Amino acid sequence: MRGALASGRRLGTLAGLFGLCVLLWALTPHFLTVANLLNVLEQTAINAVIAAGMTFVIVSGGIDLSVGSLVAVAGVVLAAALHRSMPIAVALAASLGVGVGFGLLNGVAITWGRLPPFIATLGMMSIARGCALLFTEGRPVSGFDPAFRSVATAKLAAIPAPVFVTVGVYLLAHFVLSATRFGRYVYSMGGNEEATRLSGVNVRLHKTLVYGVSGLASAVAAVLLTARLNSAQPIAGIMYELDAIAATVIGGTSLMGGEGGLGGTIIGALIMGVLRNGLNLLGVSSFVQQIVIGLVIVVAVLIDTMLKSRKT
Amino acid sequence: MATPSPSVPLLQMQRISKQFPGVRALDDVSFDLERGEVHVLLGENGAGKSTLMKILSGACGRDAGEILIDGRAVALQSPRDAQALGISTIYQEFNLVPHLSAAANIFLGREPLHGAGVINRRTLLAGAGALLRGLGTRIDPAARVGDLSVAEQQMVEVAKALSIDARILIMDEPTSALTESEIDELFAAIARLTARGVAVIYISHRMEELARVGRRATVMRDGRTVATRALPCPIPELVRLMANRDIAHHFPPPTRTRGVPILQIERLSRPPKLHDVSFTLHRGEILGVAGLLGAGRTELARAIFGADQPDGGCVRLEGRPLRLRAPSDAIRAGIGLVPEDRKRHGFVPGQSVAANLALPQLRRLCRGGVIDRARERSLARRWIDELRIKTAGPSARVLTLSGGNQQKVVLGKWLAAGADVLIVDEPTRGIDVAAKMEIYQLLDRLAGRGAGILMISSELPEVLGMSDRILVMHQGRLQAVLDAREATQERVLHAALGLAS
């Protein structure tokens, strides 16, 4: 329903991912092994989950810079709850609740407070980080029950659990964005907010919910990260917002809002993951890696812009 | 510089052709323009007027044909070339920077300087002020363009074009946002320009004004020039040339009858734009709302629709007072709004026809929050057929449709939602003649089914031709209520100008 243009663009991104894989396969024998590919998927999981929430925000015409800090605050709440011997389900609920709550606060500041999303979430980036540091007095909270850690460590048919979590998140998020009324409103608000309001849609409410979704995605990522590291760090998640925005934008979601989708974002996240992994295998220094990843982001959007301007 | 022989036209476009993927936009088109002439270019949307003008302004290349100025072939490949040749265009969509002042916009790129790049603010403001006053407006040259009304922004656009020493001025629907008095002022300004030998190519859908401004009219249809006529020329003949079919009357004969009151407005106020407005709209009635720009007509519409909160007064639907805190309250009560600024407020351009038609009633098309795609699609099909919306299908994006068809989508939203009261604000602005007729017939049919329609329009013939009664507003107040049978252009204008009857 999003039209031939959107699916054509997604095919292009997919071709980019495929080309990148072929290139790495040619360059290093270590890339195309089952163990390594599973490793890539596992390492992509956290960014992919955050980027799923970011896709909602960007399609709605906004931006969320606070996701990295929300990962930290949701992580330390989770850890504290587990350390107080709360049932895992309660600890998870507390963590997800904190993520959603901070996200909704972003939304309220943007809709009722009429702040630009960039400013509201920039403020929240600092506020949430401060909360995480204050709550833990700046120290990591480590060591959890193996039952909880199985979220990250369990495997089914050699496939790590975070991969299943990511797939589940994407299936659910894709369903919500493409099939539900809420998802339709996300596209409409991003495409023309005033026309949407004049069609009787409660724009404030739905926009606020969009940031709640992003907070929820950050909290899910926090659960995966805490379980994998066996530790929750108040300084976790720094710069995660940029990776999530990059994955979304590489995936073809327009920063202007109204266009894009999760199919593109997952490919975008995989491109980032494969690129990092491949550069590591090739022994490229982390300094050079930053340059390469930056170039990929710019070139991906450049190609997208060029394709779009040729079509109109 | 040698003065060219006066027998040679200022501009000749010869045998121009242009192919777009799948469409032959221009097919062997020739067009010429004399010095000091206003040459009207007529045609339905898609007839090729815009493409021809884009070629002349260098915005678009040509596949074949020659352009001659003063009888000499010129290379015209870019907007820079066009500017160097003295060709200037005022587009229908404004090209203004909303955050800058009117003066800064008028002289953008040509700012008067003290030297060393410092802008001479005094000269800038004085020059802009003189240009704006010359147009007969009282716009403060220091005012931010974003704070100006649509009509005032249009005037800034005109002033900007006049400030460039243009020999050929292309005006695309320059009067579509202007009131009668502003149009008079614009025409006076055009007359001063033509007296200096400037030639104007004038594109408009407002047939009534053509003879007042133009010397000749060329009609385009399907990418060809059909005929050139000296003006004045009978409107039915021009319309026939454009549409290639006779449109016997400008307006359909009404098929409706007035019923019981449906919407009662009591002392509605929202200072400073709306003061103490009361009236009653009946079922089966088209109530026209006339007035100059800034008379408070759009503010009235938005207040009734809940888009802006009124400070006082009451809206009653079938006797029940409504609490209107947001558009959703009005929509639930069965009120729909087709807004004045279609592109900014009417539809979501990147979304499909089906999604736009479904937007106000998505709740009804959902089960447990999930959209029933089959129902959405069949709803879209039904209204595409009913309104004869020309589209590749329900999933085509609205931005790919012509203006008239976009407007039908906006109307369709409210018809599909089953609105009992429809407020249409400038329903036919920028729409070609054939689509206008269809919209008129649609509004009549809708009223015939028992809906009440409030029709705001700046086109007097439209108000007179379509309405049963006419509300005339002046400075936020209701100045007069006229029965359409006894209303004339003079009487409506008289009231709109705030003169006692």
Side-chain angles (χ1 to χ4, degrees):
Chain A
M1 182 252 52
R2 299 299 313 150
L5 192 68
S7 60
R9 210 178 300 161
R10 188 165 311 153
L11 276 181
T13 322
L14 197 57
L17 175 62
F18 187 73
L20 186 62
C21 289
V22 170
L23 185 69
L24 289 170
W25 172 60
L27 289 175
T28 162
H30 305 295
F31 177 72
L32 202 67
T33 63
V34 172
N36 185 57
L37 290 183
L38 287 173
N39 186 26
V40 170
L41 292 181
E42 188 173 1
Q43 285 177 349
T44 301
I46 286 169
N47 182 32
V49 167
I50 300 171
M54 188 66 78
T55 304
F56 277 73
V57 174
I58 293 181
V59 169
S60 82
I63 193 90
D64 189 349
L65 301 179
S66 69
V67 289
S69 297
L70 295 194
V71 167
V73 81
V76 298
V77 166
L78 172 72
L82 289 171
H83 270 201
R84 280 171 203 155
S85 318
M86 287 187 195
I88 291 175
V90 174
L92 288 177
S95 173
L96 299 184
V98 164
V100 171
F102 275 80
L104 292 177
L105 286 179
N106 275 332
V108 167
I110 289 160
T111 55
W112 275 273
R114 295 173 195 273
L115 289 177
F118 189 95
I119 298 302
T121 60
L122 184 67
M124 181 58 82
M125 177 170 142
S126 184
I127 292 167
R129 176 73 58 198
C131 289
L133 287 162
L134 195 65
F135 189 62
T136 58
E137 294 169 337
R139 285 188 292 271
V141 186
S142 308
F144 306 111
D145 186 344
F148 166 70
R149 292 208 62 211
S150 67
V151 172
T153 56
K155 285 190 171 140
L156 183 68
I159 299 169
V163 177
F164 290 106
V165 173
T166 308
V167 170
V169 164
Y170 270 79
L171 289 179
L172 179 66
H174 178 70
F175 174 75
V176 171
L177 197 55
S178 64
T180 68
R181 192 171 69 216
F182 172 66
R184 174 65 61 76
Y185 289 167
V186 174
Y187 280 107
S188 302
M189 291 187 296
N192 188 340
E193 186 172 324
E194 184 62 6
T196 305
R197 191 175 84 89
L198 291 178
S199 294
V201 175
N202 189 336
V203 166
R204 281 182 175 172
L205 171 71
H206 289 96
K207 209 180 225 189
T208 305
L209 291 178
V210 163
Y211 289 87
V213 167
S214 179
L216 178 65
S218 302
V220 171
V223 172
L224 294 178
L225 185 67
T226 307
R228 188 169 91 200
L229 300 178
N230 196 20
S231 168
Q233 319 243 357
I235 52 161
I238 287 173
M239 301 279 273
Y240 278 20
E241 60 281 347
L242 298 187
D243 277 4
I245 293 168
T248 308
V249 170
I250 290 173
T253 295
S254 162
L255 272 179
M256 305 298 290
E259 297 189 82
L262 289 149
T265 302
I266 187 70
I267 298 168
L270 284 170
I271 286 177
M272 305 249 321
V274 166
L275 199 60
R276 283 233 164 82
N277 173 269
L279 293 171
N280 277 333
L281 291 179
L282 292 171
V284 175
S285 89
S286 66
F287 303 157
V288 177
Q289 284 191 23
Q290 297 214 14
I291 297 173
V292 173
I293 288 173
L295 286 174
V296 165
I297 294 169
V298 172
V299 169
V301 177
L302 196 67
I303 291 171
D304 193 43
T305 315
M306 275 162 37
L307 286 178
K308 233 191 276 182
S309 69
R310 211 174 50 187
K311 267 176 184 138
T312 48
Chain B
M1 193 169 126
T3 313
S5 143
S7 62
V8 179
L10 173 61
L11 167 75
Q12 291 163 280
M13 299 180 82
Q14 293 179 343
R15 317 204 62 171
I16 308 281
S17 289
K18 175 73 183 175
Q19 182 87 30
F20 287 121
V23 194
R24 190 154 189 85
L26 291 178
D27 187 6
D28 204 21
V29 169
S30 296
F31 179 84
D32 66 76
L33 186 66
E34 308 282 350
R35 281 171 204 78
E37 162 184 61
V38 178
H39 193 148
V40 176
L41 197 52
L42 281 173
E44 292 193 287
N45 291 343
K49 310 180 301 271
S50 304
T51 308
L52 189 67
M53 290 305 106
K54 275 185 187 160
I55 288 171
L56 183 58
S57 61
C60 163
R62 58 188 186 273
D63 298 338
E66 267 197 295
I67 297 175
L68 289 79
I69 288 184
D70 293 332
R72 279 195 304 272
V74 292
L76 208 170
Q77 309 291 352
S78 72
R80 280 186 82 86
D81 292 345
Q83 208 172 5
L85 291 165
I87 301 169
S88 179
T89 308
I90 306 170
Y91 291 101
Q92 201 180 346
E93 313 282 324
F94 303 144
N95 282 315
L96 297 173
V97 185
H99 307 289
L100 296 182
S101 70
N105 269 286
I106 289 169
F107 290 108
L108 193 62
R110 294 165 292 114
E111 292 82 358
L113 300 178
H114 280 302
V118 178
I119 291 174
N120 185 339
R121 217 177 118 75
R122 187 177 302 190
T123 312
L124 182 81
L125 289 174
L131 279 166
L132 289 167
R133 275 194 306 280
L135 286 170
T137 70
R138 279 171 295 173
I139 300 167
D140 177 4
R144 239 176 55 109
V145 160
D147 296 333
L148 300 178
S149 72
V150 179
E152 290 168 332
Q153 291 185 11
Q154 172 74 276
M155 281 300 188
V156 174
E157 274 279 14
V158 175
K160 184 176 166 183
L162 298 182
S163 75
I164 300 166
D165 212 8
R167 304 172 68 197
I168 298 172
L169 198 57
I170 305 166
M171 297 181 137
D172 190 358
E173 293 266 2
T175 59
S176 64
L178 305 189
T179 60
E180 291 295 333
S181 66
E182 287 166 329
I183 290 172
D184 288 342
E185 283 151 15
L186 177 68
F187 287 176
I190 290 175
R192 281 198 290 279
L193 284 171
T194 52
R196 297 209 309 254
V198 175
V200 177
I201 301 173
Y202 190 95
I203 300 175
S204 177
H205 285 123
R206 294 172 65 151
M207 311 294 289
E208 298 78 14
E209 71 191 25
L210 303 183
R212 286 170 58 198
V213 65
R215 188 191 296 170
R216 286 191 294 166
T218 290
V219 179
M220 290 188 74
R221 188 174 72 224
D222 301 328
R224 296 162 191 261
T225 41
V226 180
T228 299
R229 291 276 188 275
L231 292 172
C233 170
I235 290 174
E237 185 183 346
L238 291 174
V239 171
R240 194 168 51 243
L241 287 169
M242 285 164 71
N244 195 24
R245 57 178 176 262
D246 273 301
I247 294 175
H249 305 288
H250 241 45
F251 301 96
T255 60
R256 54 191 187 262
T257 48
R258 182 166 134 178
V260 297
I262 178 163
L263 186 76
Q264 283 153 298
I265 307 298
E266 292 165 10
R267 315 200 59 148
L268 205 63
S269 291
R270 192 173 195 273
K273 295 281 194 154
L274 198 60
H275 303 280
D276 207 14
V277 173
S278 304
F279 63 90
T280 301
L281 173 68
H282 301 79
R283 283 191 178 276
E285 180 179 44
I286 296 181
L287 189 54
V289 186
L292 305 180
L293 239 98
R297 296 170 301 161
T298 295
E299 288 76 9
L300 174 68
R302 288 179 60 91
I304 297 173
F305 191 61
D308 296 321
Q309 294 299 302
D311 294 310
C314 178
V315 177
R316 285 177 192 276
L317 193 77
E318 302 197 295
R320 286 175 293 111
L322 296 178
R323 282 202 65 185
L324 299 168
R325 286 154 304 183
S328 51
D329 294 326
I331 291 164
R332 238 188 320 271
I335 302 175
L337 171 70
V338 175
E340 177 184 18
D341 192 335
R342 191 162 58 232
K343 287 215 170 77
R344 267 168 58 200
H345 302 151
F347 55 86
V348 187
Q351 287 207 300
S352 67
V353 172
N356 272 282
L357 285 170
L359 196 53
Q361 56 264 2
L362 211 47
R363 198 172 292 274
R364 281 194 284 139
L365 297 174
C366 284
R367 216 171 300 154
V370 180
I371 298 167
D372 184 338
R373 286 293 168 86
R375 280 182 63 192
E376 182 183 53
R377 195 160 272 266
S378 69
L379 174 112
R381 287 238 167 75
R382 183 179 150 208
W383 290 102
I384 288 169
D385 286 347
E386 182 123 339
L387 305 181
R388 280 178 285 163
I389 300 173
K390 280 184 206 125
T391 165
S395 54
R397 305 217 260 178
V398 175
L399 60 87
T400 63
L401 307 187
S402 72
N405 285 296
Q406 289 175 345
Q407 185 71 317
K408 287 189 202 169
V409 171
V410 182
L411 270 164
K413 290 201 312 195
W414 303 115
L415 304 192
D420 272 336
V421 173
L422 196 62
I423 307 167
V424 292
D425 196 351
E426 305 289 358
T428 64
R429 175 174 289 174
I431 288 176
D432 67 62
V433 173
K436 268 186 185 181
M437 282 298 291
E438 288 189 78
I439 301 249
Y440 294 147
Q441 280 161 2
L442 201 67
L443 292 176
D444 174 57
R445 216 159 61 222
L446 204 61
R449 284 184 208 151
I453 296 173
L454 195 64
M455 188 187 76
I456 298 169
S457 174
S458 293
E459 292 193 40
L460 277 181
E462 179 171 288
V463 175
L464 290 164
M466 285 300 295
S467 313
D468 300 307
R469 286 185 303 148
I470 299 163
L471 307 178
V472 188
M473 293 187 68
H474 174 69
Q475 294 187 352
R477 293 176 196 280
L478 194 55
Q479 184 76 16
V481 182
L482 305 172
D483 192 299
R485 279 165 303 185
E486 61 197 30
T488 61
Q489 296 215 12
E490 293 75 38
R491 292 191 60 182
V492 174
L493 261 176
H494 201 71
L497 289 164
L499 306 170
S501 49

mmCIF file of all heavy atoms in Angstrom, chain A residues 228-248:
data_model
loop_
_atom_site.group_PDB
_atom_site.id
_atom_site.type_symbol
_atom_site.label_atom_id
_atom_site.label_comp_id
_atom_site.label_asym_id
_atom_site.label_seq_id
_atom_site.Cartn_x
_atom_site.Cartn_y
_atom_site.Cartn_z
ATOM 1 N N ARG A 228 23.008 -9.382 28.596
ATOM 2 C CA ARG A 228 24.210 -9.803 27.880
ATOM 3 C C ARG A 228 25.467 -9.461 28.674
ATOM 4 O O ARG A 228 26.384 -10.266 28.803
ATOM 5 C CB ARG A 228 24.271 -9.136 26.508
ATOM 6 C CG ARG A 228 25.402 -9.701 25.671
ATOM 7 C CD ARG A 228 25.343 -9.259 24.244
ATOM 8 N NE ARG A 228 26.105 -8.040 24.054
ATOM 9 C CZ ARG A 228 25.926 -7.221 23.029
ATOM 10 N NH1 ARG A 228 25.006 -7.485 22.137
ATOM 11 N NH2 ARG A 228 26.659 -6.151 22.914
ATOM 12 N N LEU A 229 25.508 -8.263 29.245
ATOM 13 C CA LEU A 229 26.697 -7.823 29.971
ATOM 14 C C LEU A 229 26.711 -8.329 31.407
ATOM 15 O O LEU A 229 27.706 -8.169 32.099
ATOM 16 C CB LEU A 229 26.765 -6.295 29.977
ATOM 17 C CG LEU A 229 26.829 -5.597 28.620
ATOM 18 C CD1 LEU A 229 26.845 -4.091 28.813
ATOM 19 C CD2 LEU A 229 28.054 -6.051 27.845
ATOM 20 N N ASN A 230 25.562 -8.880 31.873
ATOM 21 C CA ASN A 230 25.413 -9.259 33.273
ATOM 22 C C ASN A 230 25.668 -8.057 34.174
ATOM 23 O O ASN A 230 26.178 -8.175 35.287
ATOM 24 C CB ASN A 230 26.340 -10.421 33.634
ATOM 25 C CG ASN A 230 25.916 -11.076 34.949
ATOM 26 O OD1 ASN A 230 24.772 -10.934 35.391
ATOM 27 N ND2 ASN A 230 26.846 -11.778 35.582
ATOM 28 N N SER A 231 25.309 -6.880 33.660
ATOM 29 C CA SER A 231 25.596 -5.660 34.410
ATOM 30 C C SER A 231 24.792 -4.521 33.798
ATOM 31 O O SER A 231 24.596 -4.475 32.581
ATOM 32 C CB SER A 231 27.097 -5.345 34.302
ATOM 33 O OG SER A 231 27.351 -4.042 34.776
ATOM 34 N N ALA A 232 24.275 -3.636 34.673
ATOM 35 C CA ALA A 232 23.596 -2.438 34.169
ATOM 36 C C ALA A 232 24.464 -1.229 34.513
ATOM 37 O O ALA A 232 24.841 -1.046 35.668
ATOM 38 C CB ALA A 232 22.224 -2.290 34.805
ATOM 39 N N GLN A 233 24.792 -0.455 33.495
ATOM 40 C CA GLN A 233 25.694 0.667 33.690
ATOM 41 C C GLN A 233 24.937 1.974 33.499
ATOM 42 O O GLN A 233 24.241 2.138 32.502
ATOM 43 C CB GLN A 233 26.805 0.624 32.630
ATOM 44 C CG GLN A 233 27.324 -0.758 32.366
ATOM 45 C CD GLN A 233 28.777 -0.899 32.725
ATOM 46 O OE1 GLN A 233 29.411 0.066 33.134
ATOM 47 N NE2 GLN A 233 29.298 -2.098 32.619
ATOM 48 N N PRO A 234 25.125 2.901 34.425
ATOM 49 C CA PRO A 234 24.459 4.197 34.224
ATOM 50 C C PRO A 234 25.024 4.968 33.033
ATOM 51 O O PRO A 234 24.395 5.922 32.582
ATOM 52 C CB PRO A 234 24.715 4.933 35.541
ATOM 53 C CG PRO A 234 25.896 4.268 36.142
ATOM 54 C CD PRO A 234 25.854 2.836 35.705
ATOM 55 N N ILE A 235 26.207 4.552 32.561
ATOM 56 C CA ILE A 235 26.753 5.247 31.388
ATOM 57 C C ILE A 235 26.554 4.412 30.120
ATOM 58 O O ILE A 235 27.174 4.659 29.082
ATOM 59 C CB ILE A 235 28.253 5.587 31.561
ATOM 60 C CG1 ILE A 235 29.019 4.330 31.949
ATOM 61 C CG2 ILE A 235 28.446 6.709 32.566
ATOM 62 C CD1 ILE A 235 30.507 4.457 31.702
ATOM 63 N N ALA A 236 25.639 3.435 30.174
ATOM 64 C CA ALA A 236 25.366 2.626 28.985
ATOM 65 C C ALA A 236 24.615 3.469 27.954
ATOM 66 O O ALA A 236 23.950 4.450 28.295
ATOM 67 C CB ALA A 236 24.519 1.419 29.367
ATOM 68 N N GLY A 237 24.738 3.058 26.708
ATOM 69 C CA GLY A 237 23.876 3.618 25.664
ATOM 70 C C GLY A 237 24.278 4.979 25.135
ATOM 71 O O GLY A 237 23.511 5.601 24.403
ATOM 72 N N ILE A 238 25.479 5.426 25.484
ATOM 73 C CA ILE A 238 25.897 6.729 24.953
ATOM 74 C C ILE A 238 26.081 6.622 23.439
ATOM 75 O O ILE A 238 26.665 5.659 22.942
ATOM 76 C CB ILE A 238 27.191 7.200 25.657
ATOM 77 C CG1 ILE A 238 26.828 7.638 27.074
ATOM 78 C CG2 ILE A 238 27.848 8.349 24.888
ATOM 79 C CD1 ILE A 238 28.003 7.974 27.945
ATOM 80 N N MET A 239 25.549 7.551 22.706
ATOM 81 C CA MET A 239 25.586 7.616 21.235
ATOM 82 C C MET A 239 24.683 6.590 20.551
ATOM 83 O O MET A 239 24.684 6.491 19.332
ATOM 84 C CB MET A 239 27.024 7.434 20.692
ATOM 85 C CG MET A 239 27.999 8.463 21.203
ATOM 86 S SD MET A 239 27.885 9.999 20.303
ATOM 87 C CE MET A 239 28.999 9.655 18.954
ATOM 88 N N TYR A 240 23.889 5.823 21.318
ATOM 89 C CA TYR A 240 22.998 4.857 20.671
ATOM 90 C C TYR A 240 21.984 5.564 19.776
ATOM 91 O O TYR A 240 21.533 5.025 18.780
ATOM 92 C CB TYR A 240 22.254 4.026 21.715
ATOM 93 C CG TYR A 240 23.043 2.866 22.271
ATOM 94 C CD1 TYR A 240 24.425 2.831 22.183
ATOM 95 C CD2 TYR A 240 22.396 1.792 22.886
ATOM 96 C CE1 TYR A 240 25.141 1.778 22.700
ATOM 97 C CE2 TYR A 240 23.108 0.728 23.399
ATOM 98 C CZ TYR A 240 24.485 0.721 23.319
ATOM 99 O OH TYR A 240 25.177 -0.338 23.836
ATOM 100 N N GLU A 241 21.593 6.794 20.162
ATOM 101 C CA GLU A 241 20.582 7.501 19.356
ATOM 102 C C GLU A 241 21.068 7.708 17.927
ATOM 103 O O GLU A 241 20.294 7.608 16.985
ATOM 104 C CB GLU A 241 20.193 8.841 20.001
ATOM 105 C CG GLU A 241 21.303 9.863 20.188
ATOM 106 C CD GLU A 241 22.186 9.567 21.398
ATOM 107 O OE1 GLU A 241 21.796 8.712 22.221
ATOM 108 O OE2 GLU A 241 23.265 10.156 21.517
ATOM 109 N N LEU A 242 22.378 7.935 17.798
ATOM 110 C CA LEU A 242 22.881 8.186 16.445
ATOM 111 C C LEU A 242 22.858 6.916 15.594
ATOM 112 O O LEU A 242 22.518 6.966 14.412
ATOM 113 C CB LEU A 242 24.291 8.781 16.520
ATOM 114 C CG LEU A 242 24.348 10.127 17.238
ATOM 115 C CD1 LEU A 242 25.729 10.740 17.120
ATOM 116 C CD2 LEU A 242 23.310 11.088 16.687
ATOM 117 N N ASP A 243 23.196 5.770 16.214
ATOM 118 C CA ASP A 243 23.120 4.511 15.465
ATOM 119 C C ASP A 243 21.687 4.212 15.049
ATOM 120 O O ASP A 243 21.436 3.746 13.940
ATOM 121 C CB ASP A 243 23.645 3.355 16.322
ATOM 122 C CG ASP A 243 25.164 3.265 16.274
ATOM 123 O OD1 ASP A 243 25.775 4.149 15.629
ATOM 124 O OD2 ASP A 243 25.731 2.345 16.883
ATOM 125 N N ALA A 244 20.754 4.484 15.962
ATOM 126 C CA ALA A 244 19.348 4.183 15.654
ATOM 127 C C ALA A 244 18.830 5.096 14.541
ATOM 128 O O ALA A 244 18.127 4.656 13.627
ATOM 129 C CB ALA A 244 18.488 4.337 16.905
ATOM 130 N N ILE A 245 19.185 6.388 14.615
ATOM 131 C CA ILE A 245 18.759 7.317 13.561
ATOM 132 C C ILE A 245 19.383 6.897 12.239
ATOM 133 O O ILE A 245 18.729 6.866 11.193
ATOM 134 C CB ILE A 245 19.151 8.766 13.919
ATOM 135 C CG1 ILE A 245 18.344 9.231 15.144
ATOM 136 C CG2 ILE A 245 18.903 9.704 12.741
ATOM 137 C CD1 ILE A 245 18.857 10.528 15.757
ATOM 138 N N ALA A 246 20.679 6.506 12.301
ATOM 139 C CA ALA A 246 21.377 6.094 11.073
ATOM 140 C C ALA A 246 20.695 4.877 10.450
ATOM 141 O O ALA A 246 20.442 4.864 9.243
ATOM 142 C CB ALA A 246 22.843 5.791 11.378
ATOM 143 N N ALA A 247 20.365 3.875 11.272
ATOM 144 C CA ALA A 247 19.730 2.667 10.722
ATOM 145 C C ALA A 247 18.398 3.029 10.070
ATOM 146 O O ALA A 247 18.063 2.557 8.979
ATOM 147 C CB ALA A 247 19.507 1.641 11.838
ATOM 148 N N THR A 248 17.639 3.907 10.723
ATOM 149 C CA THR A 248 16.326 4.291 10.202
ATOM 150 C C THR A 248 16.463 5.020 8.870
ATOM 151 O O THR A 248 15.744 4.746 7.906
ATOM 152 C CB THR A 248 15.604 5.190 11.225
ATOM 153 O OG1 THR A 248 15.615 4.533 12.488
ATOM 154 C CG2 THR A 248 14.172 5.462 10.815
#
